[in-house]
Amino acid sequence: MAAGVAAWLPFARAAAIGWMPVANCPMPLAPTEKNKRQDELIILNVSGRRFQTWRTTLERYPDTLLGSTEKEFFFNEDTKEYFFDRDPEVFRCILNFYRTGKLHYPRYECISAYDEELAFYGILPEIIGDCCYEEYKDRKRENAERLMDDNDSENNQEGSMPSLSFRQTMWRAFENPHTSTLALVFYYVTGFFIAVSVITNVVETVPCGTVPGNKELPCGERYAVAFFCLDTACVMIFTVEYLLRLFAAPSRYRFIRSVMSIIDVVAIMPYYIGLVMTNNEDVSGAFVTLRVFRVFRIFKFSRHSQGLRILGYTLKSCASELGFLLFSLTMAIIIFATVMFYAEKGSSASKFTSIPASFWYTIVTMTTLGYGDMVPKTIAGKIFGSICSLSGVLVIALPVPVIVSNFSRIYHQNQRADKRRAQKKARLARIRVAKTGSSNAYLHSKRNGLLNEALELTGSTEDEQQMTKGTSLIESQHHHLLHCLEKTTGLSYLVDDPLLSVRTSTIKNHEFIDEQLFEQNCMESSMQNYPSSRSPSLSSHHGLTTSCCSRRNKKTTHLPNSSVPATRLRSMQELSTIHIQCSEQPSLTTSRSSLNMKSDDGLRPNCKTAQITTAIISIPTPPALTPEGESRPPPSSPSHSTNISTTTTSNIVKVSAL
Amino acid sequence: ECPSGIVNEENFKQIYSQFFPQGDSSTYATFLFNAFDTDHDGSVSFEDFVSGLSVILRGTIDDRLNWAFNLYDLNKDGCITKEEMLDIMKSIYDMMGKYTYPAMREEAPREHVENFFQKMDRNKDGVVTIEEFLESCQKDENIMRSMQLFDNVI
């Protein structure tokens, strides 16, 4: 309700006295204000900028953070103000919403930052005023598209899940050749054969030398057998490829209807039809025409070239502009052809025999080709001819920039996606370095700390002083925290093997993480049993650790231990210990992906969350990781297979190199 | 809202329609307007407005009851007939709108009027005079209590 009308509210309430005598039941109590005194001025301190407003202004919208008692959480007793550690620029808009009832979206603001602020203050974006709503929606859509692109490309880049069926892996291999070397090989082979096929088609028609008989033969007939063999080979490959794709497609019906499959079919059909048909004179003419369709093989390249795909997509998205172009051209052609025909009717021996015959002249003139096979001779004809060519230039020039800009936009989007992917990879690599660095630091200090304790026992204090000097306050607090956790879980780090310092540090990281993970997850009884039974397994697995780590690339090390779990508990234990020791830090993308997948794989979620919790622990890690960690509480105890994908192993190699 | 210093009926109706968006408050607004427009010149001046408000908010119970009676008495002849009451009742029910629980029935206003008359009309002569009205209201506890509630509106 607008503020102006709100001023009338007391009047309406007073006038409500008119209802009372006729009311059947007593009136409800009037809302009593907590403070009968004057409206209170509230101070809102947003990151240092102080905003002041009346309390009632805020209470106009009681279902938001500021309008309800939720803001009491932010009340600072000492300064008697509400302190929010948020962006003051956006807060200005939000406060204006309370004052005027209209929420505006400032153009300079980033859409996701704005959304976050709105979400924090409990305001629905739908109430953005009409003046700014369209802009908001546009930006939001753009952002969503961009994010979707990212997610799509990420999903495509994940390591293949072990639990995909053969068919699914095949389909992935077809769609994205970078998933495995076999797919890449297949990709290049088909590309090669497409090229060979196209070249043979072209070379077939080149005249190559004369045969005695004074006839120039095209190569196709001279070396008929060779070309036939080549053709057969290519068609074989294409057929096999098509059948494989058909088999692997998740939705066969949709696959059959897709453009690429139609091109495939059209490309190989002529060959089979040619085989089937006999060498009849009358049908061979038709057969020859069919051979034309072999040229469609060149379209198969679009699977290999992204540029082609972009071009095709652009044309599709500019369909309306193209349609307009075509329509206007047709109109102009008909008009000018008619005019030229009638203008040239008078002249003798004119080539403009009919209006359709003039079409050719009009098209050639409008596109400024000007072959010169048909030329107007009368003056009127020449005048109209020049008008025709001028207008042709205009009509064609108009829709073309639209098409060009569409192409450019799509192309840049693609480039942007690629660039983002590359940046993400670089960032993840950096993060990994930071992570191992921090975990190293902890273990280093721990070793020193243990050394400390040992020394304490022996009474020496020198090293102690050294150690305490070395660590900063944050580090020491961090280490203290990790130490507390160790004490809580009753588990501890293995620090005895200095040779494998780097590796063990990462391992311990994982162990620790595992502990933390379990602690986080399982407040259940499983944890109680866990620590006790773990220590023996720990020590027994220590050897396994080293061996495992030294043979990182072998997946099989953990298999013997990860036998079919009898109970959930035990399996968790086994899986966790082994897994942790052998696990590596796959990139975050894989972690995300495997969290997304069905966690059939108990290892996998543990592993991933291991990564994520690492992020929480290690301070230098960019905060981007932490939300992931928190938002994904590791699913406790699902199951049981223990394969680590090859990508993980490849990542293992990477990390150890770090 | 009223830069000219007077409220005319249209303004009044608009204001009320914003307060009661679900229903149709125009009829009631008209009646109310007439109650405030003591000199019946088609507009409520500031004096009218203030005097009406002062009666409602700061007047005695009797003054308020008087004001209410004035509201119901559409033709200002000193007594409320069933038809007048029915009109008022219908306008009040109209303000509620269609989406009520329990659903609004056609006869509800009429029934309500019957109840009202039963309570108020002492001599059963089909009209309620100011004395009957005052008497019956003063005897009715609910009404008295409601009146007192509205002491603190402004």
Side-chain angles (χ1 to χ4, degrees), chain B residues 84-102:
Chain B
E84 287 175 339
M85 204 58 225
L86 193 56
D87 284 340
I88 296 265
M89 204 57 76
K90 268 209 252 187
S91 74
I92 294 180
Y93 273 81
D94 280 344
M95 276 200 295
M96 281 296 296
K98 292 198 287 284
Y99 304 106
T100 55
Y101 176 77

Side-chain angles (χ1 to χ4, degrees), chain A residues 27-40:
Chain A
M27 292 287 161
L29 290 169
T32 51
E33 291 129 24
K34 310 183 288 234
N35 34 357
K36 274 294 294 177
R37 60 183 192 274
Q38 273 289 21
D39 201 356
E40 198 195 356

Side-chain angles (χ1 to χ4, degrees), chain A residues 26 56 139 385 389 426 433 464 549 552 567 609:
Chain A
T56 47
R139 296 273 293 261
S389 65
V433 175
E464 213 181 292
C549 295
R552 257 171 221 218
T567 62
T609 48

Side-chain angles (χ1 to χ4, degrees), chain A residues 47-252:
Chain A
S47 303
R49 220 198 285 184
R50 280 189 173 68
F51 295 87
Q52 293 183 340
T53 182
W54 297 115
R55 181 176 285 273
T56 47
T57 312
L58 291 182
E59 283 169 1
R60 276 192 205 143
Y61 298 98
D63 53 349
T64 59
L65 185 142
L66 292 174
S68 64
T69 49
E70 274 183 59
K71 63 177 183 289
E72 304 301 326
F73 177 69
F74 299 94
F75 190 65
N76 185 343
E77 279 298 334
D78 310 322
T79 53
K80 295 276 181 242
E81 60 188 19
Y82 293 88
F83 179 71
F84 294 96
D85 198 10
R86 313 283 300 189
D87 187 4
E89 303 287 330
V90 179
F91 190 77
R92 197 177 56 84
C93 299
I94 292 185
L95 198 51
N96 277 335
F97 164 62
Y98 285 93
R99 292 180 180 137
T100 61
K102 287 218 205 111
L103 180 61
H104 294 281
Y105 169 62
R107 272 157 218 261
Y108 56 80
E109 199 65 54
C110 166
I111 184 77
S112 41
Y114 190 71
D115 266 345
E116 272 178 36
E117 295 293 317
L118 283 187
F120 176 77
Y121 292 108
I123 299 177
L124 292 175
E126 273 67 32
I127 49 179
I128 290 185
D130 286 335
C131 43
C132 303
Y133 194 61
E134 275 205 37
E135 167 87 14
Y136 174 79
K137 273 285 163 209
D138 282 342
R139 296 273 293 261
K140 196 147 185 206
R141 201 170 8 103
E142 234 181 77
N143 204 33
E145 277 175 14
R146 213 176 292 155
L147 286 180
M148 214 165 47
D149 275 346
D150 263 358
N151 279 340
D152 276 351
S153 53
E154 266 174 28
N155 285 338
N156 286 341
Q157 289 199 328
E158 293 153 8
S160 57
M161 307 327 158
S163 65
L164 277 185
S165 73
F166 173 65
R167 186 172 148 186
Q168 282 173 314
T169 35
M170 235 172 48
W171 180 248
R172 286 184 72 84
F174 280 136
E175 291 301 298
N176 192 350
H178 299 286
T179 46
S180 66
T181 28
L182 188 60
L184 213 52
V185 163
F186 185 74
Y187 175 77
Y188 283 126
V189 161
T190 44
F192 172 70
F193 272 99
I194 295 175
V196 162
S197 159
V198 169
I199 292 175
T200 47
N201 282 346
V202 165
V203 169
E204 248 180 7
T205 60
V206 170
C208 49
T210 54
V211 152
N214 305 337
K215 216 167 46 139
E216 265 235 2
L217 275 183
C219 283
E221 285 172 32
R222 190 152 166 206
Y223 304 103
V225 177
F227 278 106
F228 182 73
C229 292
L230 265 176
D231 205 21
T232 314
C234 294
V235 170
M236 291 290 208
I237 301 275
F238 296 151
T239 319
V240 164
E241 182 207 350
Y242 181 70
L243 290 174
L244 280 179
R245 270 183 211 265
L246 189 61
F247 167 67
S251 156
R252 300 221 170 101

Side-chain angles (χ1 to χ4, degrees), chain A residues 11 13 18-22, chain B residues 28 36 72 85 112 146 149-150:
Chain A
F11 162 75
R13 293 181 69 207
W19 302 336
M20 277 182 267
V22 292
Chain B
Y28 184 71
F36 269 92
Y72 302 146
M85 204 58 225
H112 205 142
S146 316
L149 279 178
F150 272 65

Side-chain angles (χ1 to χ4, degrees), chain A residues 429 432-433 436 502 653-658:
Chain A
R432 239 175 282 141
V433 175
T436 49
V502 173
V653 174
K654 263 192 250 168
V655 171
S656 52
L658 287 175

Side-chain angles (χ1 to χ4, degrees), chain A residues 1-2 4-6 8-30, chain B residues 1-2 7 12 15-16 18-19 28 32 36 49 56 64 71-72 85 92 95 112 116 133 142-143 146-147 149-150 154:
Chain A
M1 185 179 315
V5 176
W8 285 86
L9 187 55
F11 162 75
R13 293 181 69 207
I17 210 172
W19 302 336
M20 277 182 267
V22 292
N24 284 334
C25 24
M27 292 287 161
L29 290 169
Chain B
E1 283 293 312
C2 309
V7 187
F12 218 75
I15 290 166
Y16 256 77
Q18 295 206 34
F19 286 136
Y28 184 71
L32 198 57
F36 269 92
F49 183 68
I56 298 174
R64 293 180 196 172
L71 170 66
Y72 302 146
M85 204 58 225
I92 294 180
M95 276 200 295
H112 205 142
F116 179 78
F133 184 70
N142 278 342
I143 296 182
S146 316
M147 289 291 194
L149 279 178
F150 272 65
I154 291 185

